[in-house]
Amino acid sequence: MSVDTLTIPTQTVSQSRISELDFNNIEFGKIFADHMLVVDYKDGAWQTPEIKPYGNMSLSPATSALHYGQAIFEGMKAYKNAAGDILLFRPLDNFRRLNISGERMCIPELPEEIFMQGLEQLLRLDAAWVPPTAGCALYIRPFIFATDDFIGVRPSSSYRFVVFSCPVGAYYGQPLRVAIEPNYVRSAEGGAGYAKAAGNYGAALYPARKMQERGYHQLIWTDAREHKYIEESGTMNVMFVIDGKLVTPAVSTTILAGITRDSVLQIARDKGIPVEERKVAVSEIVEAHKAGKLQEAFGTGTAATIAQIATIHYNGEDMNLPALEGREISNSIAAELDRIKTGQAPDAHNWIHKISL
Ligand code: COI
């Protein structure tokens, strides 16, 4: 199968649901585009992909992913440029990361042509669902789950790869109040924290809910050994501007290698902003705040893009950060990232995959 020759059998909807969507008021993750891509893996091989109307799937109650969490996913976004072409942002990076997560979860490698050609054909079909509105995008959710109907614990011998999409606006409606988590952990060395495995997100819900009950939107995860070093914030990577430098935890086996994270760091370097990827101690953040040197803090992720952090709680105290308007580094990087994604700025790093209609 080559990228050029794979033509995916397609069953289209008889009537699009796009009139259900109010393009001026898009909520995250609630209304799904008309079609989805579905590919099964069985007998040791990925089978012929198909595109069909978005809809429910029939599954055995014994489907192993539902019991043991052998499931991985990606999140990516598509935008429209002024000419109306669809611009996919760094899809090959999502593809590579999907297979990195797959290896960790014993899920067979997905071929690039299925991923890329599947995305191209799906998005051409659902092009009308890519919002042209500033601040909005088509969020694309590729995922793979184990489909053996067998409840013994072992890697499944069959899987399903699905891609569906939904138009989205902002993930967080306001600047975040976050709290540094002193007890629970998202991930430990040797675990699956670097993988986009479904169970990482499920296991994070309870600590996040406990923080929400205390009045914070999200938590900042700390390392599993000592709770001394900062890891991620909620479902995002986290960055700080300390004394003019952009500082973020280095990726490791416990931290997801975020594609937005990497893009933000690259844009910062392009702008000549000093970047430090290293261990970031909680004590450093507290001291920088006391000294008036903690200028900015924000999360980065595909869904949220750049989510500003207004307040960080630690050890009984709220550290309130400077006003958003003055956050020159994150605001300028966010604006540049947005221009690149929508084709308004040169694509110096070949991040854009254009789908002409
Ligand atoms: C993303 O940013 O795409 C994520 O994976 C977060 C998501 C779980 C909403």
Side-chain angles (χ1 to χ4, degrees):
M1 260 182 307
S2 91
V3 175
D4 301 327
T5 54
L6 178 70
T7 300
I8 301 173
T10 299
Q11 183 201 338
T12 55
V13 292
S14 48
Q15 168 111 48
S16 172
R17 287 178 286 98
I18 199 155
S19 59
E20 290 172 20
L21 183 69
D22 173 0
F23 275 102
N24 296 311
N25 185 20
I26 305 179
E27 267 190 81
F28 188 94
K30 287 220 168 135
I31 296 192
F32 304 101
D34 287 325
H35 299 93
M36 62 184 186
L37 174 84
V38 180
V39 194
D40 283 326
Y41 179 94
K42 61 176 186 188
D43 304 327
W46 287 99
Q47 307 293 306
T48 306
E50 48 176 339
I51 290 176
K52 48 168 128 178
Y54 175 88
N56 294 347
M57 294 183 285
S58 157
L59 295 174
S60 155
T63 299
S64 55
L66 300 177
H67 299 267
Y68 308 124
Q70 201 193 357
I72 55 173
F73 71 97
E74 274 301 320
M76 51 200 294
K77 276 180 175 168
Y79 300 80
K80 268 194 180 143
N81 67 8
D85 304 309
I86 297 174
L87 306 183
L88 264 171
F89 187 68
R90 304 189 70 171
L92 280 169
D93 293 291
N94 291 98
F95 165 70
R96 289 186 199 110
R97 193 173 61 184
L98 184 74
N99 277 332
I100 290 171
S101 302
E103 184 188 23
R104 180 64 179 79
M105 298 302 291
C106 294
I107 290 174
E109 190 171 338
L110 185 81
E112 182 180 322
E113 56 269 33
I114 292 185
F115 188 88
M116 290 305 295
Q117 199 66 11
L119 273 175
E120 290 219 3
Q121 290 184 36
L122 184 67
L123 293 186
R124 277 208 186 92
L125 202 57
D126 283 336
W129 290 83
V130 184
T133 334
C136 297
L138 188 72
Y139 185 81
I140 302 160
R141 173 53 60 87
F143 64 107
I144 305 178
F145 64 102
T147 52
D148 277 4
D149 42 353
F150 175 64
I151 56 164
V153 182
R154 54 132 171 84
S156 181
S157 59
S158 61
Y159 297 87
R160 181 165 289 178
F161 171 56
V162 181
V163 184
F164 66 82
S165 68
C166 49
V168 296
Y171 190 77
Y172 290 111
Q174 73 245 82
L176 303 179
R177 288 168 51 75
V178 299
I180 295 177
E181 173 57 59
N183 299 309
Y184 295 103
V185 295
R186 176 188 167 275
S187 155
E189 276 164 36
Y194 67 89
K196 229 165 156 53
N200 287 341
Y201 294 75
L205 294 174
Y206 179 73
R209 189 171 68 183
K210 291 197 108 133
M211 276 309 179
Q212 283 150 11
E213 284 164 2
R214 294 174 52 194
Y216 298 92
H217 297 108
Q218 259 305 345
L219 41 77
I220 290 190
W221 299 105
T222 49
D223 71 282
R225 256 181 232 261
E226 302 175 279
H227 296 291
K228 257 169 71 176
Y229 296 99
I230 284 176
E231 300 241 310
E232 298 190 16
S233 180
T235 61
M236 301 179 291
N237 295 111
V238 65
M239 301 196 181
F240 306 91
V241 176
I242 303 174
D243 208 10
K245 288 186 220 124
L246 185 58
V247 179
T248 192
V251 288
S252 67
T253 56
T254 63
I255 293 179
L256 187 85
I259 293 165
T260 307
R261 173 189 181 281
D262 183 71
S263 309
V264 165
L265 297 181
Q266 184 61 56
I267 293 172
R269 291 187 175 109
D270 292 349
K271 287 177 177 289
I273 297 164
V275 169
E276 294 182 2
E277 294 179 76
R278 56 168 171 79
K279 275 181 178 287
V280 182
V282 173
S283 59
E284 177 182 354
I285 298 302
V286 173
E287 277 153 32
H289 179 255
K290 271 198 201 130
K293 292 183 175 169
L294 182 60
Q295 296 153 318
E296 310 184 22
F298 54 96
T300 64
T302 298
T305 315
I306 289 185
Q308 293 290 354
I309 293 174
T311 301
I312 303 176
H313 178 91
Y314 182 62
N315 207 13
E317 269 183 51
D318 275 355
M319 298 181 272
N320 292 315
L321 273 64
L324 305 192
E325 305 73 60
R327 299 191 179 187
E328 281 172 24
I329 291 188
S330 49
N331 286 338
S332 75
I333 293 173
E336 180 66 8
L337 188 55
D338 201 56
R339 283 194 292 272
I340 297 171
K341 287 172 163 183
T342 51
Q344 299 169 73
D347 177 23
H349 301 287
N350 278 322
W351 287 340
I352 300 298
H353 181 91
K354 180 158 104 180
I355 303 177
S356 304
L357 299 178

